[in-house]
Amino acid sequence: MKKSALYAGSFDPFTNGHLDIAKRALTIFDELTILLAVSPSKKNFMSMDERMHALEKLFHDDPRVKVDHWEGLVVDYVKEKQIQAIVRGLRPTGDFEMEFQMASANRKLNPDIETVFFVTGENLYYISSSLVKEIFNYGGDITKFVPQIIYEAMESKRK
């Protein structure tokens, strides 16, 4: 049986920190679904279609990666798709409490789901989607913070 995992987030935009977590998850899991989860409380910079297209393009050479979107509870998606684990990244910026709470709630909703935490790489821990958007909106250079394909997708919105 293949070991499958889900990496969910708004990924607006998908950063090099996210990419690091995804690549490292693929060293443990046979398949990884990157799920664009809808967060009603967030105002997105890129549309769902733009993010889906950019991520599909980013991972088009890796058949182990699937990109999808979902508007419900992540645990429901995991159950429906028979995925064994949820992957989450932890930065040393206060992520632990929120991530622990979310993992605990997910486990209560579905005791069969494991959450696997990856500590963000020491050279990427300060990167966040919010920071990238702020730098981008002020005309700063974000090429060190996002994959080239994501940068191109963001630049296309500027024109």
Side-chain angles (χ1 to χ4, degrees):
M1 183 171 152
K2 288 187 176 184
K3 293 181 290 182
S4 60
L6 175 93
Y7 187 22
S10 58
F11 302 124
D12 185 38
F14 192 85
T15 69
N16 286 336
H18 296 131
L19 182 59
D20 175 61
I21 298 296
K23 285 181 176 180
R24 289 169 48 212
L26 285 165
T27 67
I28 295 171
F29 296 99
D30 301 313
E31 297 174 340
L32 181 67
T33 299
I34 298 178
L35 186 72
L36 292 163
V38 175
S39 176
S41 63
K42 287 188 178 180
K43 183 177 184 269
N44 293 312
F45 173 76
M46 295 173 72
S47 72
M48 179 67 72
D49 287 342
E50 290 167 331
R51 288 178 283 151
M52 285 282 295
H53 178 71
L55 286 172
E56 287 167 349
K57 192 172 176 184
L58 180 63
F59 290 102
H60 82 279
D61 285 337
D62 196 336
R64 301 170 302 160
V65 178
K66 177 183 175 188
V67 178
D68 204 355
H69 65 91
W70 184 256
E71 292 193 30
L73 292 173
V74 169
V75 291
D76 293 338
Y77 182 92
V78 168
K79 185 176 182 177
E80 181 179 306
K81 302 294 182 178
Q82 299 179 329
I83 295 172
Q84 290 87 32
I86 296 173
V87 166
R88 300 297 299 168
L90 289 176
R91 295 171 295 179
T93 56
D95 284 347
F96 180 77
E97 288 181 15
M98 182 196 69
E99 293 293 345
F100 183 80
Q101 181 181 30
M102 190 177 352
S104 298
N106 286 342
R107 187 129 173 108
K108 244 341 174 194
L109 293 168
N110 185 342
D112 297 329
I113 297 172
E114 292 295 337
T115 299
V116 178
F117 294 104
F118 286 85
V119 176
T120 303
E122 66 278 351
N123 58 331
L124 301 167
Y125 72 89
Y126 61 92
I127 300 172
S128 71
S129 294
S130 299
L131 176 67
V132 169
K133 284 187 282 195
E134 186 167 344
I135 293 168
F136 180 80
N137 286 331
Y138 282 105
D141 181 9
I142 60 166
T143 56
K144 294 177 182 148
F145 307 126
V146 297
Q148 182 65 28
I149 289 167
I150 304 300
Y151 171 73
E152 290 167 6
M154 291 179 73
E155 273 297 313
S156 72
K157 291 187 67 69
R158 192 189 305 269
K159 295 175 182 172

